[in-house]
Structures are given as C-alpha cells and as structure tokens.
Amino acid sequence: MTSTRVVVTGLGATSPVGGDVKTTWDALLAGRSGIRHLDDEWVEQLPVKIGGRVAVDPSEVLERVKARRLDRASQFAMVAADQAWADAGLEGSGLEPERLSVSLASGIGGVTTLLSNYDTLLEKGARRVSPLAVPMLMPNAPAANVSLKYGARGAVHAPTSACASGNEAIAMAIDLIRLGRADVVLAGGTEAAMHPLPMAAFANMMALSKTGTDDDRDPASVSRPWDVARDGFVLGEGGAVLVLESEESANARGAHIYATVLGAGISNDAHDIAQPDPEGRGGTRAIQMALREGDVDPATVVHVNAHATSTPKGDIAEGLMLHTVLGSHVDQCVVTSTKSMTGHLLGGAGALEAVATVMALQDRTSPPTINLDDKDPEVDLDIPTSARTLPDGDIVALNNSFGFGGANVAVAFGSAS
Amino acid sequence: MATTEEIRADLAEIVNEVAGIDADDVQLDKSFVDDLDVDSLSMVEVVVAAEEKFGVTIPDDEVKNLKTVGDAVAFIERAQD
C-alpha cells in the first residue's frame, strides 16, 4: 500500500428529501420521509404506486437544452456534481485536467431513455428514434457527461454492481488517488429507474413492498428497515457526488476537509444472483477488508449507515455481519438506515448514504431510522429512532452497500482531525 | 399550403426546442452550423422533427445540402407540393 491519504473535500446531492446536501441532511436528521404516492398515469397498471421522487426536479436546475441531451440519471449526476464541485472550491483552482478523474455509477443506466425510444420505435417507426439515444442511455453516460463538463482527462469510470454501484464507484476513486493516478476524483452514483418496467420487475420478484398502494397506509410508513412489518424496499431516485482528494492536494489549496477516507472493502457472495447470503459472510469480509485497509480498531467504529433496504432477509444478514466484525463493540455503535426516509436509490444509494455518513461524522450526529415501531427480535443493534449524538474524539463510520449479483462494498470514513 | 414564412416560423420553433436557439434568430439566410451552432446530431433531431411536423421525408443524402434555414424551408416547400 502507498501512504497517500484520501480526504473528502466536497459534497453534492439531489434526493427524495432535498435538492441539495443541506436540505437533504436537515430532513434526514428531522426524520422526514420523501416517499409519496406517485402521480404518473402509468402507475395505475402497477402493483406498486409509491416511491421517492427527487424533491427538486432537475428541470428546475439545469439549462433546458443541455438537460434534454441527458437521461434523467445523468441529470441527477450533473446536479450533484455541480454542487460538489462548487462546495469543494474547485472552480478556478488550477487543478490539472489530467489529474482529475470521475468515478460515477448507476445500477441500471439510462433505462427511461431506452424504453421511451423503444415506445417511439413501435409507435412511430425507426426514423423517429432519437440519434442521441445511445450516448444518453449508455451506463457510462453520467460519468462521461460530468467529465465533459469539468474537463476531467484522467480515468473516467462507471462501475456497475447493481445496488452497490455508488459505493463501488467511491471505492474505485480511493484506489485512483492511492495509486497516484489522480489527485481529485468526482465520485458517486445516480439512478432514475422510476419507470413501469423496472418497477413491475422489482415488484414481481417480491423485492418492492406492495403495501401503501391500494390501502390507506401512509406511503411514508412503508420503508421500515428492521421493523417486523417490513416487506420490501421502496424505490427512490436521485444522485450524489463526493469530491475525494489526496490530502496533499487538499492541504495545498487550503480546502475544507469533511472527513478522511480510511479504507474500502469489496467482495462477492457467489451465493445467488439476487438473494443475499443469509449469514452475510461476503458482507462481513467486505467490512473487515475496509477496516483492515484503514488499520481501524473496531472499537472506534461508532456509526454505520447500513444498506438495510427494508427487506426481510437482507436487514437481518447485515446485523449478523456487524456482530461478527465488531464483536461486543457493536453495543456502542449507532446503526441507522436512511433508506427509511429516502427509499432505495439503487446505484445512487451508496453515494447518497456516503454523503450522509460523512455529514454524520462532521456534525457528530446520526440520523434516525424512521418507522421502527416494533424491532425485529432477530436484530440486535442500537438503532436510533431520533437523531443521536456521536462521541467526541477520533471516530470511524462505515457505509455499507450490497447489490444483486452478490456484490458487497463497505467504505470506512474517519472524522477529520 | 403553408407560406414560406409559416414554414420558417414552425422550423424556428423546432430549432428552438432542439438547440435552444432564439426562434427570432432562425432566419432564412442563417447557416445551421456556422450561425446557429446546430451540431450534426442536433441537425438529425431537427430533420426528424421537421419530417413529422410538415409530413415530408428528408432523405439522409439530402440533409448535407441543407446548409441554411432557407435551404431547409425551400426543400420542405418543394416536398409538400
């Protein structure tokens, strides 16, 4: 390992609970949900009628002509990248374009562009298919468009590992800096899969919760990680970008350092294409790898932003992982799932939750997990139901993401000194 | 039959929608590439939208001859006859 230290110097996000990092973070601390009844007309034919649309539509932020050349997933990425770039103070910083990279993922890619062009093909013929369809729908479109906007001439990656994609993009960004391939990386994830086809598919595989759709239940109460009444995730949309930077570069330009990045772990279950390993062995190895890479004492891990999507099996497996890795220290660790408020952003989840993890370290406060009315007796974790203060001193927080295909990614962040 | 001015105005709306150019700037003597900054992919979008709007067919081979807004309007007028 090289000794290059990596720090976080900028944050950007557009989420179901806020159009930027501040409003998102305030909403998360206050326990406000972004899950609503969807008002799209196609929702009528679906078994699921709720979701977490972004709080601020990108059309309100981006220039119209530029936005129409971007799939919605790329629009979210652009909104978040613009915020992160400005937040990090990179405008006019004189950073060499060859030392700037992008690592920006999506789980599914430009699925709405793909499917709307297919509709056009069937209804109006091949001639009407947009000449921009391929550069809009390709999985590296969000990364490539951010690279174009900011002139990033280093590596531009778009790792895909389903719901772990955003976290994997961050793990890859850490490597780019540690290997000396870049000084600054715009890293994150985005997803815009609020379309009847992926929603029907997720519903048919029993992954999405069907409650709160044809009954009187409040949509905001349906995403309920670790609660006995949980029965699947709620789909969210949005994107988040973190500016990761070598400590040397950040110090040289006097940048604000939100947190340090200690290590990342990536593993695979090789168990099932969609189901998690019920004992969470692959996730355990990913978390252990992240801690070992950062030489982290498990006793200093005081906060986890869990993957916990509100599915029956996954939430339990993650609890087992934390018990295995942290041992008796798990009692002093505040574990939360912000998906209880945002829903599941798929490829954007790991990135949005990394932003929340970093903010938790900076503000020394864990956001709550809402809707935890009756905790599953199989889960023995300290889960806050209102915002909880984290300890002083050098502390460590983990961000976990797991994805279809058996992917497990954990990233360990440390409080800024 | 649509007049030249009506075709120009409708085409200007399409160019505005696709490329964000102010519709008033889309005049007959303007070059799509040099004056209006319409790139090749945007030009394909303009052509496809124009075919739908005016009910004509503009073959790919013909597109390269449509240098100016006036060229496009003249082609559409001929094609509608």
Side-chain angles (χ1 to χ4, degrees):
Chain A
M1 287 306 299
T2 66
S3 59
T4 304
R5 279 173 40 105
V6 181
V7 296
V8 181
T9 57
L11 301 174
T14 180
S15 80
V17 296
D20 57 22
V21 172
K22 186 178 185 312
T23 52
T24 295
W25 182 238
D26 288 348
L28 293 179
L29 290 184
R32 278 199 294 275
S33 173
I35 311 302
R36 310 267 186 275
H37 286 290
L38 296 173
D39 53 14
D40 306 77
E41 60 184 54
W42 47 257
V43 117
E44 287 312 310
Q45 55 171 323
L46 288 189
V48 174
K49 298 175 171 58
I50 63 170
R53 284 279 191 198
V54 286
V56 177
D57 197 84
S59 62
E60 293 177 39
V61 184
L62 297 173
E63 208 182 309
R64 182 183 62 83
V65 173
K66 294 211 168 99
R68 69 182 293 284
R69 289 190 150 210
L70 301 175
D71 177 79
R72 192 167 172 84
S74 289
Q75 293 178 1
F76 296 151
M78 195 61 79
V79 169
D82 287 350
Q83 293 172 10
W85 182 264
D87 184 45
L90 285 167
E91 191 59 44
S93 66
L95 179 71
E96 281 179 59
E98 291 75 14
R99 302 296 300 162
L100 174 64
S101 275
V102 179
S103 181
L104 224 164
S106 114
I108 307 188
V111 66
T112 49
T113 296
L114 173 66
L115 294 169
S116 66
N117 274 278
Y118 187 61
D119 289 343
T120 301
L121 176 74
L122 296 181
E123 287 162 17
K124 297 179 175 178
R127 180 67 178 167
R128 298 283 182 267
V129 171
S130 170
L132 297 169
V134 170
M136 283 173 71
L137 69 85
M138 61 192 190
N140 62 323
N145 280 295
V146 168
S147 147
L148 267 175
K149 170 91 180 263
Y150 291 106
R153 299 214 162 97
V156 174
H157 289 295
T160 53
S161 50
C163 303
S165 302
N167 224 12
E168 184 171 345
I170 293 167
M172 191 171 258
I174 300 167
D175 290 349
L176 288 172
I177 296 171
R178 286 186 169 167
L179 291 168
R181 291 178 179 161
D183 294 326
V184 176
V185 185
L186 297 170
T190 180
E191 202 76 69
M194 215 68 93
H195 180 285
L197 191 140
M199 288 189 73
F202 278 126
N204 289 347
M205 75 191 297
M206 314 288 276
L208 276 184
S209 172
K210 296 189 182 78
T211 53
T213 55
D214 289 323
D215 54 48
D216 291 336
R217 275 179 62 192
D218 179 2
S221 74
V222 177
S223 183
R224 41 196 319 114
W226 298 300
D227 186 90
V228 287
R230 70 189 185 281
D231 63 352
F233 73 83
V234 176
L235 188 65
E237 63 170 10
V241 170
L242 295 84
V243 176
L244 300 193
E245 186 165 4
S246 73
E247 188 177 44
E248 190 184 346
S249 168
N251 285 339
R253 62 187 192 85
H256 169 69
I257 293 174
Y258 281 93
T260 59
V261 187
L262 300 171
I266 305 179
S267 72
N268 199 287
D269 287 346
H271 165 77
D272 185 89
I273 196 69
Q275 297 291 338
D277 175 349
E279 292 175 48
R281 285 170 292 199
T284 298
R285 283 188 295 117
I287 298 168
Q288 285 170 332
M289 206 183 298
L291 297 184
R292 198 164 56 235
E293 217 182 77
D295 202 16
V296 174
D297 176 356
T300 61
V301 179
V302 300
H303 176 56
V304 178
N305 191 309
H307 185 67
T309 60
S310 186
T311 56
K313 287 182 186 165
D315 292 12
I316 288 177
E318 191 168 9
L320 296 176
M321 294 171 203
L322 295 174
H323 274 271
T324 304
V325 176
L326 301 180
S328 61
H329 298 298
V330 77
D331 295 341
Q332 279 86 53
C333 187
V334 179
V335 182
T336 197
S337 172
T338 44
K339 287 189 184 79
S340 61
M341 297 168 273
T342 63
H344 188 358
L345 271 61
L346 310 178
L352 181 63
E353 288 150 25
V355 168
T357 308
V358 166
M359 288 304 297
L361 284 171
Q362 161 147 312
D363 284 6
R364 305 234 170 212
T365 310
S366 167
T369 297
I370 66 167
N371 301 321
L372 187 64
D373 300 329
D374 190 1
K375 188 160 80 174
D376 187 327
E378 286 193 62
V379 177
D380 183 16
L381 296 169
D382 182 8
I383 304 162
T385 52
S386 60
R388 177 91 65 83
T389 302
L390 298 174
D392 294 332
D394 290 338
I395 55 172
V396 174
L398 277 170
N399 180 31
N400 292 341
S401 296
F402 314 118
F404 285 172
N408 307 294
V409 183
V411 176
F413 295 94
S415 51
S417 42
Chain B
M1 273 316 297
T3 67
T4 300
E5 173 49 25
E6 282 165 352
I7 294 172
R8 186 209 62 79
D10 285 347
L11 191 62
E13 255 177 52
I14 291 170
V15 173
N16 172 265
E17 174 63 28
V18 169
I21 312 295
D22 193 332
D24 292 341
D25 291 342
V26 184
Q27 297 298 335
L28 296 179
D29 61 337
K30 292 290 171 63
S31 156
F32 285 109
V33 174
D34 299 332
D35 299 322
L36 302 177
D37 209 20
V38 175
D39 64 21
S40 61
L41 284 179
S42 294
M43 192 62 195
V44 178
E45 285 196 282
V46 169
V47 164
V48 169
E51 286 183 336
E52 187 160 19
K53 176 84 189 168
F54 301 109
V56 300
T57 299
I58 307 175
D60 288 347
D61 287 349
E62 193 60 43
V63 175
K64 64 179 185 298
N65 300 325
L66 308 180
K67 306 265 190 239
T68 66
V69 175
D71 294 339
V73 170
F75 182 90
I76 292 163
E77 282 184 310
R78 281 199 305 278
Q80 280 185 329
D81 279 344

